[in-house]
Amino acid sequence: MSSFWRQLVLQGACLLLSGSLHGAQAREQPNVVIIYGDDVGHADIGANGGPAGLPTPNIDRLAEEGINFTDGHSSAATCTPSRFSMLTGVHAFRHNVNVLPPNGNLTVPAHYITLPQIFKKAGYATGIVGKWHLGFGEREQRIDWNGELKPGPLEVGFDYAFLLPNTNDRVPCVYVEGHRVVNLDPEDPIHVGNTYASVNIPGSTAYPDARANDPNVFYQSIVNGLGRIGYTSGGKSALWDDYTMAEEFVARATDFIETHREQPFFLYFSSQDIHYPFTPNERHVKQSDYGKRGDVMVQLDWSVGKILGVIERLGLKENTIVIFTSDNGPVNHKDQQSGNVGEHVGRRTYDASGPWRGGKFQIYEGGTRVPLIIRWPGKISPGQSSAATISQIDFPASFADLLGIELKAAEARDSRNVLGALLGQDPEGTELLIEECRGPAIRLGPWKYIPAYSGKWVQAHDPKVDTLYNLQEDPGEQSNVIADYPEVAASLKHLLDRIKAGEGVRELEVQAELTQLQF
């Protein structure tokens, strides 16, 4: 039986299985909590072979009580695109979504159905706590940080939002709750711009220009003594404390769970850890053997433990799905080129991508192969390890099936129903996988085809020619075998070109012509 027809049989079995479970699951309406790390590599956790000097007991316990996917993926190797795709079920390259600047507008089109909207259709309370980085306001609209920040997460399906608006190394360094900056003094208005002159406004607090003495430094502003991307002024009373950020987010998340304990809820807990700058709270300092980066990984594990603790204290464990994953791979890996991390890693180093090549900003497996752990007591057998191929972009279609929500053909059109795999009942997952970094690559079965990179933003590690890897024989992506298998590369290129031209992955994957690929 070909791999394609085997997949169809498995999908049919999963549909029968989901049909038998569907009524009970829809009635139960399990709570769902997604704990989303930032720049967490596959091997940053003990359950995936992380080093002994980097303790992650709470995440490891989650793996022991659930299923740990060894081939779990974010849809992209950078944060804004992967978050966009997870929430919309649509690949980010279709809308030219890249890492947003500090004044970036909302990337999610108003007509798109989103993951939180799917939950709302099923009667759930929905909340986001933590990093957003998907923008505010209509396209081309100038963001007014001193007024209402809308449209934003409340307009795309969340009932509650307490946010880090961009990243913890980007301005403005303030929290947003609902539509407004928290604790803002109107007499000290916030300004965000592309130059120091554009924010040098009388009446607003001034922050140092990081490039005043060295125009070549990466950051533009210095806020709370730390370099930040972008220029800003004002908002002194609203500034966050980098060293208590994890505590603030955990408090808001646990309060959301407490408040909605009597109704089904969906919580997207989007941590700033372990993104640079590494600012562990004093309780976590030197709790790892890997300097500040290791310490913020310990801090992230602490956050996981606090969220699991409130779920269990409230008696919600049995009816709550908890997912731990990350937006992309790590910055510290063997192909690291930026030189941005070495001085911060600490006394010892390790490759947080594990056996996979590359990491964040790279199209190789380490860029999107991230931790993916799911626990649902009584529904998912504990202690499982699954090699099923899973992408976060498939969350919308999978949870829609779980909740009995029918998606139209144009809704979440790149998202596929892999519920059977998520529950540990399908060992295959999806054969067709799109991985993205400044453009998409395609995986089908053991093969991975990456188009050559060109243009202004090409980096030293990017492929300069079309490449083809057999991941079954070469999981580290070291040997380009395109000369030996030109027909495979041509077939995959044709398939990728069709997707890039507009065909939805969900529609495309069920077409029988895939059997014509010469494998």
Side-chain angles (χ1 to χ4, degrees), residues 95-131:
H95 293 276
N96 295 314
V97 174
N98 292 302
V99 180
L100 280 186
N103 269 329
N105 292 126
L106 181 65
T107 56
V108 181
H111 65 282
Y112 271 18
I113 193 169
T114 64
L115 187 58
Q117 286 172 343
I118 289 169
F119 281 100
K120 282 178 70 68
K121 283 176 177 284
Y124 278 61
T126 59
I128 173 175
V129 173
K131 177 177 173 178

Side-chain angles (χ1 to χ4, degrees), residues 11 55 95 135 140 147 150 179 239 264 297 304 322 374 392 401 448 484:
Q11 287 176 346
H95 293 276
E140 306 300 329
K150 59 186 299 188
H179 289 132
L239 292 181
M297 188 64 219
V304 172
V322 179
I374 304 179
Q392 295 165 8
D401 178 55
K448 179 174 177 178
D484 298 323

Side-chain angles (χ1 to χ4, degrees), residues 238-303:
L239 292 181
W240 66 52
D241 179 350
D242 292 83
Y243 298 93
T244 61
M245 189 175 288
E247 284 76 4
E248 188 71 48
F249 288 157
V250 164
R252 300 287 179 157
T254 54
D255 182 68
F256 178 85
I257 294 170
E258 291 258 15
T259 300
H260 299 286
R261 60 192 293 183
E262 300 297 335
Q263 66 182 117
F265 61 80
F266 166 61
L267 173 63
Y268 172 34
F269 179 80
S270 180
S271 177
Q272 87 289 356
D273 288 325
I274 54 177
H275 196 286
Y276 178 85
F278 312 125
T279 54
N281 184 274
E282 59 183 8
R283 71 161 57 91
H284 305 299
V285 173
K286 297 184 179 179
Q287 295 300 300
S288 78
D289 292 338
Y290 297 92
K292 291 182 179 179
R293 185 183 183 278
D295 292 347
V296 292
M297 188 64 219
V298 172
Q299 180 167 273
L300 175 58
D301 184 77
W302 173 87
S303 299

Side-chain angles (χ1 to χ4, degrees), residues 154-170:
L154 299 187
E155 285 67 47
V156 300
F158 290 104
D159 297 318
Y160 175 74
F162 184 86
L163 307 172
L164 165 72
N166 293 306
T167 62
N168 49 333
D169 68 343
R170 276 174 170 77

Side-chain angles (χ1 to χ4, degrees), residues 352-374:
S353 295
W356 319 114
R357 180 178 178 182
K360 184 177 182 179
F361 306 119
Q362 298 195 23
I363 195 63
Y364 305 110
E365 287 296 286
T368 65
R369 197 178 294 222
V370 295
L372 177 58
I373 299 168
I374 304 179

